Amino acid sequence: MRQKFVAGNWKMNLTLPEAQALTSEIVQMLRDEQHGPEAAQVVICPSYPLLPAVGRLLGEGGKVALGAQNCHQKESGAYTGEVSAKLLQSIGCQYVILGHSERRQYFHEDNELLSQKLKAALAAGLRPIFCVGESLETREADETFDFIAKQLKDGLFHLSNEEFDKVLIAYEPIWAIGTGKTASTAQAQEVHAFIREQVASAYDAEAANNTAILYGGSCNAQNARELFSQPDVDGGLIGGASLKSRDFVTIVTSF
Ligand code: PGA
């Protein structure tokens, strides 16, 4: 069976004390929930400066893994203000979100740049969580599938089979992010199944079957169970609801 995942994307939220308090609450609640080894892999993705402190609270070999929200495409060098995948790996990150729609929109990250970031992350030993998803305009124009197929082809499918094995995909319809408007379970399942088909034709049936495809976009403690019950939804990438310990832990245990 495919591994389930729930990743919390804290975005540009929380100070150090707030992040420490939230992490401690999540760790404690998961302990109380008897979150067993067959349960979802949990990943927390805080802002860069919070990573070491959050990582210490999660502990070595703990049940919750650490992830970053971005990385630079170069290994090192004169790129003031940027952070390399190698550095992230050295401070305990195992995952990195790449291609989030906010990065695509506000920082002009395109599929070509993202394809380089994916390479850099994989070379450093990080597992990328590669985000795709259409705008409302694209959905209303009935172009969702073409748009997502292009994001996958141009951004992701240049990877070798071996590299692709490490990748998680997140389907995040832009119109559902932070809006309180969730994709219906049927809409989510339809796109997830389409993404899996695309993986099967770019790689093979085994790769498609093994790839975790997460849903993101106003996923919360109330709707997670229904979304996660869909055959091609392997968990979630959670924004707003990951900032509340009880809600996040409820989502983590919604399988
Ligand atoms: P949201 O964000 O859960 O607040 O909609 C999801 C995301 O952007 O990853």
Side-chain angles (χ1 to χ4, degrees):
M1 233 182 53
R2 277 190 293 278
Q3 169 82 63
K4 309 280 188 196
F5 288 88
V6 175
N9 175 10
W10 288 358
K11 308 193 180 185
M12 197 176 73
N13 293 300
L14 307 179
T15 61
L16 177 60
E18 288 165 351
Q20 287 170 319
L22 178 59
T23 308
S24 303
E25 284 168 26
I26 291 170
V27 168
Q28 185 57 49
M29 285 180 187
L30 286 177
R31 206 172 283 147
D32 295 346
E33 291 279 349
Q34 308 230 317
H35 184 65
E38 72 295 336
Q41 171 66 56
V42 183
V43 184
I44 290 182
C45 305
S47 309
Y48 287 143
L50 299 174
L51 287 166
V54 170
R56 273 192 295 279
L57 290 169
L58 297 179
E60 284 266 323
K63 289 176 189 160
V64 182
L66 193 62
Q69 298 172 16
N70 179 30
C71 70
H72 195 263
Q73 65 274 21
K74 291 281 193 326
E75 194 182 318
S76 62
Y79 301 98
T80 303
E82 288 296 321
V83 175
S84 72
K86 204 169 154 187
L87 180 147
L88 293 172
Q89 192 278 337
S90 77
I91 60 170
C93 286
Q94 297 178 55
Y95 296 84
V96 60
I97 300 171
L98 290 175
H100 191 282
S101 61
E102 288 151 15
R103 303 271 343 151
R104 292 177 187 262
Q105 183 181 351
Y106 304 132
F107 303 95
H108 313 295
E109 296 193 359
D110 58 15
N111 292 325
E112 162 59 27
L113 175 69
L114 291 168
S115 70
Q116 295 171 29
K117 290 193 175 204
L118 278 162
K119 281 276 187 195
L122 288 160
L126 299 177
R127 294 194 68 178
I129 303 173
F130 184 73
C131 304
V132 296
E134 80 288 0
S135 65
L136 188 57
E137 204 183 1
T138 302
R139 178 161 282 268
E140 284 175 348
D142 220 1
E143 288 166 0
T144 298
F145 294 108
D146 287 349
F147 184 81
I148 288 174
K150 188 165 167 52
Q151 286 185 319
L152 292 169
K153 182 170 170 284
D154 296 353
L156 188 58
F157 290 162
H158 63 297
L159 299 178
S160 68
N161 281 66
E162 207 182 23
E163 289 171 324
F164 186 79
D165 269 358
K166 302 273 180 287
V167 174
L168 286 72
I169 298 173
Y171 168 56
E172 299 208 308
I174 299 170
W175 47 271
I177 296 177
T179 57
K181 243 183 169 183
T182 323
S184 68
T185 47
Q187 281 171 327
Q189 168 56 27
E190 188 184 30
V191 178
H192 281 233
F194 173 77
I195 292 171
R196 209 176 292 289
E197 274 166 37
Q198 298 295 299
V199 173
S201 43
Y203 295 93
D204 54 36
E206 194 188 343
N209 193 41
N210 291 338
T211 302
I213 307 175
L214 316 185
Y215 170 79
S218 300
C219 181
N220 59 37
Q222 286 72 47
N223 61 26
R225 188 171 291 279
E226 209 189 327
L227 284 160
F228 298 171
S229 70
Q230 300 302 302
D232 288 297
V233 179
D234 305 310
L237 178 55
I238 318 299
S242 72
L243 298 169
K244 295 180 207 125
S245 51
R246 185 68 264 166
D247 288 9
F248 186 62
V249 170
T250 300
I251 295 169
V252 167
T253 51
S254 292
F255 289 94

